[in-house]
């Protein structure tokens, strides 16, 4: 049975789900997506052929710009009639520089800094933060809406205003418009590998036929899993203090990591990297830490940061893939000056970026008692699914902070040498580097440190002893790729 649901830019996805008996095997939740086009990398084992990406022309002017015949454009500012180019109402107009706190407290990037809130109908606004209509590659800071009230103490500091409206929530948090085919490519991948089916099992309780991983009292608890692609994956759940049934599924080795990268290339993630690199003034970027994340219930949001101490050179790019309808905001954001918490509403086609000291967490949610549009098996239980892609401008000054703060999954290992071999791999300011035409990482030498690694492998220790054998028997456990077109070894 199939039901279509609509993604950004007119992209339609049909969800096909087979009904199941709670006592039998778990149902297959198949997502069918339009073909986003051929893969430039072909069927290569590792890195694609070398070659430059075609130049991307970016329109930096608003729909109300006036352009001369010579191509010189001047922004006219917000439309007087409050209408967008498609005739829909436009929301309140915000400019970052209009808020004195922004000018005084923050380093303002060369991003889209003046924009309308969207949608225009205030009755449709959800959450505490401005959600501009972003074209692919448009990057904007996350601002508080004018409707956000503050305490008396904060009001006095803000010159007697009663709202945080227009203030940047935190220095290194952004939102960026995504290429339409990126969502399609990632959903197609999740469907073909069985990732959606796996998350469906992990995010439903046993009483509803689920098989969640037990949450441990301290640290994450996980296990290696087999998916339909034959690659090695690792699923884990955070500790009980998170009070959530959130699970991650991430590559367990470099081979699977490279497969994930090729899907990002197929979805034109290069446009995202190029826009971020240029607008934030970075030297180079690599997508180095890749996961999928799913959740259906969160009792209390666990507020945390993903990175710190990198000088704004590392970001967790959160890409929504499946969202439930008519639900509250999904993400908690904390103001870095006034410590006020607010709710951020995800939107398919727009990614949020969490950088240094951006305090955030999963907002309270309960999708277990709704009938999701994504699953027509007649059973209760919805789910939110996202891809998370950590990107970094790796250098000698931040490599230690990146390895100690951001590597939370089974792969990559906390190895500075491997991370430095990835430096500037997917975008560089001088051009010539991308995922679609990936040159591969630099040579990276690794060996087994134990003499009996062969016996340890036979005993299954690569998976049962992740703290020691897996780290000391890198070659025998096949953690990294030894050979391929790019000769990375």
């Amino acid at each position: 049975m199939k039901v279509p649901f609509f993604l950004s830019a007119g992209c339609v996805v049909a969800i096909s789900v087979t009904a199941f008996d709670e006592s039998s095997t778990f149902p297959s939740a198949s997502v069918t997506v339009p073909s986003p086009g051929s893969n430039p990398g072909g069927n290569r084992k590792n890195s694609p052929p070398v070659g430059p990406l075609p130049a991307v022309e970016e329109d930096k002017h608003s729909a109300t710009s006036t352009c001369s015949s010579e191509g010189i454009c001047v922004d006219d500012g917000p439309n007087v009639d409050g209408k967008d180019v498609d005739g829909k109402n436009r929301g309140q107009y915000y400019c970052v520089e209009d808020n004195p706190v922004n000018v005084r407290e923050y380093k303002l990037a060369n991003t889209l800094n003046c924009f309308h809130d969207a949608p225009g109908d205030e009755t449709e606004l959800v959450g505490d933060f401005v959600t501009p209509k972003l074209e692919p590659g448009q990057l904007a800071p996350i601002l508080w809406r004018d409707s956000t009230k503050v305490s008396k103490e904060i009001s006095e500091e803000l010159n007697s205003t009663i709202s945080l409206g227009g203030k940047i929530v935190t220095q290194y948090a952004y939102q960026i418009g995504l290429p339409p085919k990126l969502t399609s490519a990632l959903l197609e991948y999740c469907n073909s590998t069985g990732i959606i089916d796996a998350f469906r099992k992990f995010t439903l309780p046993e009483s509803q036929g689920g098989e969640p991983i037990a949450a441990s009292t301290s640290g994450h608890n996980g296990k290696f899993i087999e998916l339909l692609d034959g690659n090695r994956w690792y699923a884990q759940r955070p500790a009980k203090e998170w009070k959530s049934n959130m699970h991650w599924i991430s590559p367990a080795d470099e081979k699977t990591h490279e497969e994930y990268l090729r899907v990002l290339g197929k979805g034109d993630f290069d446009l995202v990297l190029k826009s971020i690199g240029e607008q934030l003034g970075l030297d180079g970027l690599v997508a180095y830490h890749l996961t999928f994340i799913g959740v259906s219930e969160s009792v209390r949001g666990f507020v945390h940061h993903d990175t710190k101490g990198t000088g704004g050179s590392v970001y967790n790019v959160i890409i929504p893939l499946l969202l439930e309808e008519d639900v509250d905001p999904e993400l908690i954001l904390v103001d870095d000056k006034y410590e006020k918490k607010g709710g951020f509403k995800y939107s398919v086609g727009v990614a949020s970026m969490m950088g240094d000291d951006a305090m955030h967490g999963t907002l309270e949610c309960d999708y277990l008692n709704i009938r999701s549009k994504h699953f027509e098996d007649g059973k209760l239980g919805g789910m939110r699914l996202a891809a998370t892609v950590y990107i970094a401008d790796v250098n000698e000054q931040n490599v230690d902070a990146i390895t100690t703060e951001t590597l939370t999954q089974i792969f990559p290992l906390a190895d500075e040498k491997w991370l430095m071999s990835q430096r500037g791999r997917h975008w560089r300011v001088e051009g010539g580097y991308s995922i679609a035409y990936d040159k591969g990482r630099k040579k990276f030498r690794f060996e087994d440190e134990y003499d009996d690694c062969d016996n340890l492998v036979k005993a299954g220790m690569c998976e049962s002893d992740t703290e020691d054998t897996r780290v000391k028997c890198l070659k025998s456990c096949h953690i990294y790729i030894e050979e391929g077109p790019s000769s990375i070894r």
Side-chain angles (χ1 to χ4, degrees):
M1 184 179 299
K2 294 184 179 180
V3 58
F5 69 93
F6 294 87
L7 302 176
S8 63
C11 179
V12 181
V13 175
I15 301 297
S16 175
V17 179
T18 304
F20 72 104
D21 186 328
E22 292 181 0
S23 63
S24 62
T25 58
F26 206 82
S28 173
S30 175
V31 177
T32 305
V33 297
S35 174
S38 60
N39 184 350
N43 295 319
R44 62 198 187 294
K45 295 180 180 178
N46 181 40
S47 296
V50 176
L53 276 177
V56 178
E57 296 294 333
E58 295 186 54
D59 181 5
K60 297 183 180 180
H61 300 277
S62 70
T64 57
S65 297
T66 301
C67 298
S68 68
S69 58
E70 291 81 14
I72 300 174
C73 301
V74 178
D75 289 334
D76 301 329
N79 282 339
V80 176
D81 61 2
K83 298 290 184 180
D84 206 343
V85 291
D86 57 6
K88 295 183 179 180
N89 290 331
R90 308 182 83 180
Q92 184 170 334
Y93 194 68
Y94 292 83
C95 274
V96 174
E97 293 85 353
D98 288 347
N99 189 302
V101 179
N102 295 338
V103 177
R104 184 176 71 243
E105 300 288 341
Y106 299 105
K107 178 182 177 181
L108 303 184
N110 185 31
T111 60
L112 182 69
N113 284 330
C114 289
F115 40 78
H116 287 272
D117 200 356
D121 186 350
E122 290 188 2
T123 62
E124 298 177 17
L125 295 177
V126 179
D128 300 303
F129 301 100
V130 181
T131 54
K133 182 179 179 181
L134 297 173
E135 297 299 321
Q138 282 189 326
L139 184 68
I142 299 177
L143 307 181
W144 288 96
R145 282 196 170 116
D146 265 352
S147 57
T148 309
K149 306 302 180 184
V150 295
S151 65
K152 179 180 179 181
E153 291 76 16
I154 296 177
S155 295
E156 293 174 352
E157 185 171 344
L158 292 174
N159 298 323
S160 299
T161 63
I162 60 171
S163 169
L164 283 177
K167 181 192 172 296
I168 293 173
V169 62
T170 185
Q171 174 73 77
Y172 298 111
Y174 298 94
Q175 48 193 323
I176 185 169
L178 301 174
K181 63 181 180 180
L182 180 61
T183 302
S184 297
L186 288 166
L187 277 173
E188 184 180 60
Y189 186 56
C190 289
N191 177 45
S192 63
T193 57
I195 287 174
I196 291 179
D197 286 340
F199 273 121
R200 182 78 162 138
K201 286 195 296 184
F202 291 144
T203 59
L204 281 179
E206 294 180 359
S207 60
Q208 292 178 233
E211 299 176 16
I213 296 173
S216 63
T217 54
S218 62
H220 298 344
N221 187 26
K223 64 180 181 178
F224 292 88
I225 61 174
E226 289 187 10
L227 295 177
L228 301 178
D229 61 349
N231 286 321
R232 303 168 77 193
W233 295 86
Y234 191 77
Q236 64 176 337
R237 181 177 180 177
K240 288 183 178 179
E241 63 179 343
W242 285 57
K243 296 187 180 298
S244 165
N245 70 359
M246 178 181 292
H247 286 68
W248 292 281
I249 295 178
S250 59
D253 55 29
E254 191 171 34
K255 178 178 177 293
T256 309
H257 174 88
E258 293 290 322
E259 292 287 343
Y260 195 149
L261 282 175
R262 284 196 277 274
V263 176
L264 293 176
K266 189 177 181 180
D268 199 17
F269 192 71
D270 285 314
L271 174 61
V272 177
L273 293 174
K274 181 177 185 292
S275 298
I276 293 172
E278 291 180 347
Q279 295 178 58
L280 298 186
L282 304 176
D283 295 322
L285 284 170
V286 60
Y288 70 96
H289 187 208
L290 317 171
T291 69
F292 291 100
I293 187 168
V295 64
S296 64
E297 183 182 37
S298 176
V299 178
R300 185 192 68 198
F302 181 75
V303 176
H304 62 285
H305 63 259
D306 292 328
T307 175
K308 67 177 181 179
T310 72
S313 58
V314 178
Y315 293 90
N316 177 14
V317 183
I318 304 171
I319 305 170
L321 298 177
L322 297 178
L323 298 175
E324 296 300 341
E325 293 181 327
D326 302 322
V327 297
D328 292 333
E330 297 90 354
L331 186 70
I332 301 170
L333 290 176
V334 182
D335 192 272
D336 61 0
K337 182 172 176 59
Y338 301 112
E339 298 184 353
K340 181 177 177 61
K341 294 180 180 180
F344 180 84
K345 183 67 179 169
Y346 285 139
S347 176
V348 172
V350 177
S352 56
M353 296 167 48
M354 300 293 108
D356 285 352
D357 298 308
M359 299 299 292
H360 66 283
T362 297
L363 201 56
E364 292 83 356
C365 67
D366 184 0
Y367 307 146
L368 295 177
N369 295 312
I370 67 174
R371 299 193 188 277
S372 174
K373 66 178 181 179
H374 306 309
F375 309 102
E376 278 201 328
D377 52 20
K379 301 291 184 179
L380 289 175
M383 179 181 73
R384 183 170 77 243
L385 175 67
T388 61
V389 180
Y390 279 74
I391 62 174
D393 184 359
V394 182
N395 54 53
E396 290 85 356
Q397 288 71 43
N398 65 19
V399 66
D400 177 67
I402 295 173
T403 54
T404 56
E405 288 288 330
T406 70
L407 300 180
T408 59
Q409 305 297 313
I410 199 76
F411 184 88
L413 300 177
D415 191 322
E416 292 186 13
K417 293 187 298 181
W418 180 87
L419 199 57
M420 286 298 292
S421 75
Q422 305 276 348
R423 182 176 181 177
R425 175 180 170 182
H426 296 139
W427 175 84
R428 292 190 187 183
V429 67
E430 65 267 25
Y433 289 81
S434 67
I435 300 178
Y437 295 91
D438 197 350
K439 300 177 181 181
R441 62 165 167 79
K442 294 180 180 179
K443 291 182 179 180
F444 168 69
R445 185 174 296 280
F446 60 94
E447 300 290 343
D448 288 341
E449 295 184 36
Y450 290 159
D451 294 333
D452 60 342
C453 281
D454 287 343
N455 292 329
L456 295 174
V457 171
K458 292 177 182 178
M461 300 290 283
C462 290
E463 295 189 358
S464 62
D465 182 20
T466 59
E467 298 295 327
D468 187 45
T469 300
R470 184 177 178 81
V471 176
K472 300 298 184 180
C473 296
L474 296 174
K475 190 171 183 179
S476 295
C477 289
H478 302 290
I479 305 303
Y480 300 114
I481 296 172
E482 288 193 66
E483 58 186 32
S486 60
S487 299
I488 51 175
R489 58 179 177 179

